[in-house]
Amino acid sequence: MSCLLADVGGTRTRFALLADGQVGPIESLRTGAYASMHYAAHHFLNGQPEGTVVDRAVIAAAGPVSGGRCKLTNAAWTLDAESLRQSLHLRSVRLVNDLEALAWAVPQFGPDDVVAVGEGSAVMGEPVVVIAPGTGLGLSCHLPGAVARVAASEAGHTTLAASDAGDDAILAGLRKRFGHVSAERVLSGAGLVNLHAVLAVQDGHAPGTPTPEEIVRGALSGTAPRYAGALELFCGFLGSFAGDMALTFAARGGVLIGGGIAPHIVPVLRDSSFRKRFAAKGRFAGYVDQIPTAVIVRLEPTFLGLAALAARGA
């Protein structure tokens, strides 16, 4: 018997089968190419070798999960565990938030799965915060102990704070467009585009329509100063937000940055204001400065967490 594992995001949905404790090849599909999760899952399962028997599923979804249902925050799908169970003819379907699944991978990360950004030393047995800027902004916390737990969170939609006058100007520009400026409005792929647009307007130029990928490539190449400026702002805001979350969860076990952006910009993060702003917490600067920060560079790390949930009988 195999277990269907799925990581459902606003841009891509990834599937794999778990059999005999091993995760098989991961197939990535474009979420927007399918009318619903049902069609995408059937597409994947229909492509498996004849005789493959799948009896259950563990699914991570990029949105709040309640009562076995999840409306994706950045895509049109609504997932319902019972409906999927019936449609796919499975014994059980477990639906969790995608960052909850990623946090279950934390104890399994090896030294090659993460790269440090700055100093700090993890305290064993203490909470670990996981932050994932990608299509959206997810956050969770792994709480170790005799019975480990994971706290899912929608902190990506909290109001983003300014640290100085420069931040004030950026957020003022974003408020004109969005009203409420959540952390996700800045710390995501769309957030990079938003930051670039504000900088362009400040310079008296039309913002154009660059993609997040174009902004990152232009910044890394050194040929696009405004792209580089947007990425530096992104890193600074990310550091400040990560420091806030470290304090919120007393995350002396560390803060891990996942998602689709950070693994591509590790050198920029190290040279940016990320770590300085992470620790810039007034009277608690010394406390936060001891907390390590690192980027998750393992490919498809959520599947480690999904497999762990499946092993727990999810």
Side-chain angles (χ1 to χ4, degrees):
M1 293 286 186
S2 298
C3 177
L4 174 66
L5 305 180
D7 180 13
V8 182
T11 302
R12 309 290 301 184
T13 293
R14 298 167 175 86
F15 293 99
L17 293 182
L18 176 71
D20 299 323
Q22 299 297 314
V23 178
I26 296 170
E27 182 176 345
S28 178
L29 306 175
R30 191 167 61 85
T31 301
Y34 297 85
S36 72
M37 175 62 176
H38 297 264
Y39 290 104
H42 278 294
H43 174 97
F44 172 76
L45 292 172
N46 289 339
Q48 300 311 302
E50 187 175 351
T52 300
V53 178
V54 179
D55 73 331
R56 61 194 180 111
V58 182
I59 299 170
V65 176
S66 177
R69 288 175 58 84
C70 176
K71 167 67 178 72
L72 297 184
T73 303
N74 292 296
W77 292 2
T78 295
L79 284 68
D80 180 90
E82 177 58 21
S83 177
L84 284 166
R85 187 192 68 78
Q86 295 180 21
S87 171
L88 300 176
H89 308 291
L90 302 177
R91 173 171 54 84
S92 66
V93 172
R94 170 80 181 275
L95 183 62
V96 299
N97 174 263
D98 59 338
L99 264 291
E100 180 179 350
L102 181 56
W104 280 113
V106 167
Q108 303 173 71
F109 286 145
D112 294 333
D113 294 329
V114 299
V115 293
V117 177
E119 303 297 327
S121 181
V123 179
M124 299 301 296
E126 293 296 318
V128 178
V129 163
V130 183
I131 301 171
T135 302
L137 176 64
L139 185 141
S140 59
C141 184
H142 184 269
L143 301 162
V147 179
R149 295 181 297 123
V150 165
S153 169
E154 290 300 326
H157 301 285
T158 58
T159 304
L160 187 63
S163 296
D164 54 31
D167 286 0
D168 288 338
I170 296 296
L171 296 183
L174 291 172
R175 278 193 295 272
K176 290 179 181 179
R177 180 177 175 186
F178 298 110
H180 176 249
V181 181
S182 68
E184 184 173 284
R185 292 294 192 189
V186 167
L187 301 176
S188 62
L192 273 172
V193 176
N194 294 335
L195 289 171
H196 172 265
V198 170
L199 290 178
V201 170
Q202 288 180 347
D203 292 341
H205 297 286
T209 56
T211 65
E213 293 79 11
E214 288 170 341
I215 292 173
V216 170
R217 284 197 301 268
L220 294 177
S221 71
T223 60
R226 194 176 301 128
Y227 289 176
L231 191 57
E232 169 58 34
L233 284 172
F234 175 92
C235 292
F237 275 113
L238 180 59
S240 184
F241 178 77
D244 287 346
M245 295 303 104
L247 284 172
T248 299
F249 289 96
R252 294 192 298 157
V255 174
L256 298 179
I257 310 297
I261 299 172
H264 300 289
I265 62 167
V266 171
V268 176
L269 276 170
R270 285 174 166 165
D271 291 338
S272 74
S273 61
F274 169 85
R275 184 68 198 190
K276 179 180 178 180
R277 291 193 42 172
F278 175 79
K281 299 302 174 187
R283 291 176 296 164
F284 270 70
Y287 177 94
V288 179
D289 195 42
Q290 298 301 310
I291 296 173
T293 49
V295 174
I296 301 168
V297 294
R298 181 188 175 97
L299 294 177
E300 308 294 0
T302 300
F303 283 87
L304 270 182
L306 287 168
L309 281 169
R312 292 168 62 91

